[in-house]
Amino acid sequence: MPDLHFTSATASPEERSAVDAVAARAERHLLLPTLHALNDRVGWLSEGALNYVCERLNVPPAEAYGVATFYAMFSTKPRPPQLVHACDDIGCRNAGAEQLIGALETSGAHVLRSPCLGLCNRAPAVLTTNAGPEPGAMQIAPASPDAVRRQHPSGANDTIGGSMIRLLQRVTSGDPESLDDYRSRGGYEALKRAFELGSARVIEEAIASNLLGRGGAAFPAGKKMEAVAAAAGRPHYLVCNADESEPGTFKDRVLMERDPFAVVESMTIAAFAAGCERGFIYVRGEYPLAAQRLRHAIDACRNGGWLGDDVAGTGFSFDVEIRRGAGAYICGEETALFNSIEGKRGEPRSKPPFPVHAGLFGKPTLINNVETLVNLPQIVLHGGAAYAAVGTAGSTGTRLFCLSGNVARPGLYEVPHGTTLGTLLEMAGGVAEGRALQAILLGGAAGSFVGPDALSMPLTFEDARAAGATLGSGVVMAFDDRIDLRDIVRRIARFFREESCGQCVPCRVGTIRQEEALERAGIDRALRNDIARAMRDASICGLGQTAANAIASANGILRVLPTEAVP
Ligand SMILES: Cc1cc2nc3c(=O)[nH]c(=O)nc-3n(C[C@H](O)[C@H](O)[C@H](O)COP(=O)(O)O)c2cc1C
Ligand code: SF4
Ligand code: FES
């Protein structure tokens, strides 16, 4: 703990200039961007620099320290400017992550182990960060010691496939840095159509489409839009949740990196419908390319009159700001994300009140996942009924699935809801090397394992629910018969223990006890069930409520718990 009464006298000139560049006004919500600026410039947050931030932003030192220590990408202890964040999570550990980390450490690199970096389709993955006057960050996947030494991104592209390409139509071709190119491919036709229809009709079409949120909770997108539009209090905010940290998920990364203008246009359509004046996109801190492409797209749209005080000459006013996360899975939870933007620790709030009434800065807020939003242009252009004609009645439209693990062609696949799990797996070439399938993790660490008997399951919200599973964030990670599922389950348990924000006891203690239950014998089934039940029923957010799911489901496929604990 630093001396919180200490002054900023020891802040160096470079630390001061990094802070001054961002902390132009004494506003608390600038805390996270200011800490990022310092971290990017110097590589860590010294006492003197933190105190200088507090002076500039008028934030109590204890609170600034609480925020600085909340995020994995920041350090309040000195560390070298060059770091290698190496993924040792479930997808990469089967692609040689441990050997890679060993080799990197032997070569003298400063390695920090990281949870999933959203590059599982190109495992093993690392993110290198270089602090300095010209800071840089690079995703390297697949990574090798040589590629890391040469700072070479490896040139691998994300494999894109599927049986009905709608959301991914511009992802395989086109220039993600050209607004003209985007417009030549139909870009901004949907926003123009939205202006013609008017906000009430856009909401009607969104409701008729029965589009359900793709961020994990499957809430009807049109209904949420309608509630924000009707909410009292101004301003209304639109927040795009681009924190994508669910292990195994990389769909939003691909959309942002390869079709950033579509994300900006879709946000503008949603903002128009719900009457939002200001938008934020909260991009995962480990996604430097996505942030760079979005920043470029936002600037180009502002210059082209598609954002700002008078969007496309219609009198509608809307602008977007990027906020970078800093390495905290829990900040994907909507209310934790609001706190993070506001410059507080990223801890979830109790609900109600719900974001549609009191969200960001206490104002009515429409928050949607990236993939949810990029469905809007086709709904506006072709109508909600046409959208709902694809898929099933309960699960309309197409869906992005992130295929990784032991599949022949890992990548991002778009299929209509209702496609079976087996068909999807076949699209990706089936299990790699013709091995037998042991299990599939569906929906991410917060999801569940299913066995080969689930291959006939149609991929819909309702079929997944009926099978006791979830589509979650679209993760489909396959494990062949050689994989030690116990090791995978242990890594998931560690993930939840490390990512619990610690606010509520059932989650804070339960995630520790759950991990212990996998490590040692002697915890009986009743106690394990008690822990799972306490976490599910008494945790205030989805992290604690779902932390036991994958482990319980794996136990059904393979006896992952010590012998005494097996039912
Ligand atoms: C622990 C936790 C992590 C989450 N992470 C994400 C995330 O990374 N991206 C996301 O869109 N939603 C995430 N969510 C869901 C959000 O809270 C929220 O439901 C979602 O952003 C709403 O958007 P949608 O209606 O478009 O799905 C997470 C929820 C929890 C409980
Ligand atoms: S359930 Fe866990 S992550 Fe969620 S608020 Fe409680 S302690 Fe934090
Ligand atoms: S990038 Fe390693 S598991 Fe996702």
Side-chain angles (χ1 to χ4, degrees):
M1 187 85 170
D3 178 356
L4 299 175
H5 303 290
F6 200 68
T7 70
S8 59
T10 56
S12 69
E14 68 174 354
E15 287 172 326
R16 285 167 186 268
S17 84
V19 172
D20 292 343
V22 183
R25 303 175 303 276
E27 292 173 10
R28 174 76 182 253
H29 71 95
L30 293 175
L31 180 56
L32 192 57
T34 307
L35 297 180
H36 262 303
L38 255 180
N39 196 57
D40 287 350
R41 181 74 176 82
V42 190
W44 67 289
L45 314 172
S46 72
E47 273 178 23
L50 259 179
N51 280 295
Y52 185 59
V53 172
C54 294
E55 273 176 33
R56 292 299 310 251
L57 294 180
N58 201 16
V59 176
E63 288 191 28
Y65 182 76
V67 172
T69 53
F70 188 81
Y71 297 96
M73 292 181 85
F74 296 149
S75 171
T76 52
K77 304 226 162 50
R79 61 183 184 186
Q82 269 133 33
L83 302 172
V84 181
H85 306 260
C87 175
D88 69 353
D89 213 326
I90 48 176
C92 287
R93 56 200 306 110
N94 296 325
E98 287 302 329
Q99 294 87 324
L100 175 66
I101 289 170
L104 289 169
E105 284 172 344
T106 307
S107 73
H110 192 96
V111 179
L112 300 177
R113 285 173 180 266
S114 169
C116 175
L117 289 167
L119 295 157
C120 340
N121 52 325
R122 287 152 44 192
V126 307
L127 170 76
T128 61
T129 50
N130 292 294
E134 288 182 24
M138 185 179 288
Q139 295 149 302
I140 305 178
S144 65
D146 187 47
V148 173
R149 187 177 45 76
R150 290 188 296 120
Q151 287 287 286
H152 194 272
S154 88
N157 274 330
D158 298 304
T159 297
I160 304 295
S163 57
M164 190 180 271
I165 303 296
R166 297 197 167 177
L167 304 175
L168 298 178
Q169 55 171 316
R170 274 180 298 260
V171 151
T172 45
S173 60
D175 179 356
E177 300 202 335
S178 165
L179 176 57
D180 288 342
D181 184 77
Y182 179 65
R183 295 219 50 209
S184 74
R185 291 162 190 270
Y188 276 105
E189 290 307 313
L191 182 63
K192 285 201 265 177
R193 179 76 185 130
F195 288 143
E196 283 163 18
L197 293 172
S199 53
R201 266 293 298 285
V202 173
I203 292 173
E204 272 172 38
E205 297 300 336
I207 292 174
S209 75
N210 197 22
L211 167 67
L212 302 184
R214 308 300 201 229
F219 194 84
K223 288 280 176 200
K224 202 148 77 172
M225 226 182 238
E226 186 181 45
V228 175
R234 288 277 162 190
H236 289 183
Y237 290 104
L238 174 88
V239 177
C240 175
N241 189 341
D243 196 42
E244 189 166 74
S245 309
E246 186 66 48
T249 317
F250 47 85
K251 65 191 178 72
D252 298 340
R253 172 182 64 76
V254 173
L255 288 169
M256 291 186 284
E257 288 179 355
R258 309 275 284 273
D259 203 6
F261 289 100
V263 179
V264 179
E265 181 184 2
S266 303
M267 287 178 70
T268 313
I269 293 170
F272 171 67
C276 305
E277 291 91 331
R278 206 163 154 207
F280 287 89
I281 179 160
Y282 188 96
V283 184
R284 187 172 180 197
E286 292 88 343
Y287 281 179
L289 183 59
Q292 178 198 315
R293 294 253 161 96
L294 283 167
R295 198 168 295 122
H296 177 275
I298 290 167
D299 286 347
C301 289
R302 206 176 281 135
N303 291 335
W306 295 104
L307 285 176
D309 286 338
D310 182 19
V311 176
T314 58
F316 170 60
S317 169
F318 178 66
D319 214 329
V320 178
E321 220 178 288
I322 296 185
R323 288 300 165 97
R324 287 158 67 198
Y329 167 70
I330 192 57
C331 287
E333 195 281 336
E334 54 196 15
T335 59
L337 190 154
F338 300 149
N339 279 342
S340 181
I341 293 180
E342 290 177 19
K344 301 171 187 154
R345 285 167 71 85
E347 290 168 346
R349 305 172 184 170
S350 294
K351 289 187 266 191
F354 291 99
V356 293
H357 297 121
L360 186 61
F361 302 114
K363 299 294 181 188
T365 303
L366 179 62
I367 178 163
N368 278 120
N369 169 260
V370 176
E371 182 189 349
T372 312
L373 288 168
V374 297
N375 276 280
L376 291 178
Q378 42 169 321
I379 293 171
V380 167
L381 282 172
H382 309 297
Y387 181 92
V390 172
T392 66
S395 305
T396 56
T398 59
R399 184 74 193 252
L400 300 181
F401 287 102
C402 311
L403 275 93
S404 66
N406 302 119
V407 290
R409 288 188 296 278
L412 187 59
Y413 290 79
E414 181 173 8
V415 293
H417 273 119
T419 304
T420 66
L421 181 56
T423 307
L424 180 66
L425 196 63
E426 282 312 309
M427 264 177 226
V431 181
E433 299 169 36
R435 302 289 306 195
L437 178 66
Q438 180 181 189
I440 291 179
L441 180 63
L442 259 192
S448 48
F449 288 92
V450 294
D453 55 331
L455 289 178
S456 58
M457 182 175 89
L459 292 165
T460 64
F461 293 106
E462 57 275 19
D463 287 286
R465 206 176 304 120
T470 169
L471 301 184
S473 51
V475 172
V476 177
M477 193 179 282
F479 299 94
D480 73 22
D481 54 350
R482 288 171 300 188
I483 301 296
D484 177 3
L485 213 56
R486 287 179 181 80
D487 175 59
I488 301 300
V489 168
R490 267 188 231 115
R491 181 64 184 90
I492 291 176
R494 169 152 74 91
F495 174 78
F496 283 117
R497 195 234 320 136
E498 288 175 345
E499 299 297 334
S500 165
C501 82
Q503 237 191 142
C504 30
V505 178
C507 172
R508 185 177 66 233
V509 179
T511 49
I512 296 171
R513 295 287 171 265
Q514 170 170 271
E515 194 183 11
E516 286 172 359
L518 296 172
E519 298 297 347
R520 65 181 165 86
I523 294 188
D524 65 19
R525 184 179 174 219
L527 178 55
R528 182 167 52 83
N529 286 346
D530 271 359
I531 295 169
R533 197 175 311 116
M535 285 201 290
R536 192 186 59 230
D537 296 344
S539 298
I540 71 166
C541 92
L543 187 149
Q545 289 157 7
T546 58
N549 289 0
I551 291 151
S553 61
N555 203 36
I557 292 168
L558 185 75
R559 299 188 149 204
V560 290
L561 291 178
T563 331
E564 296 90 313
V566 168

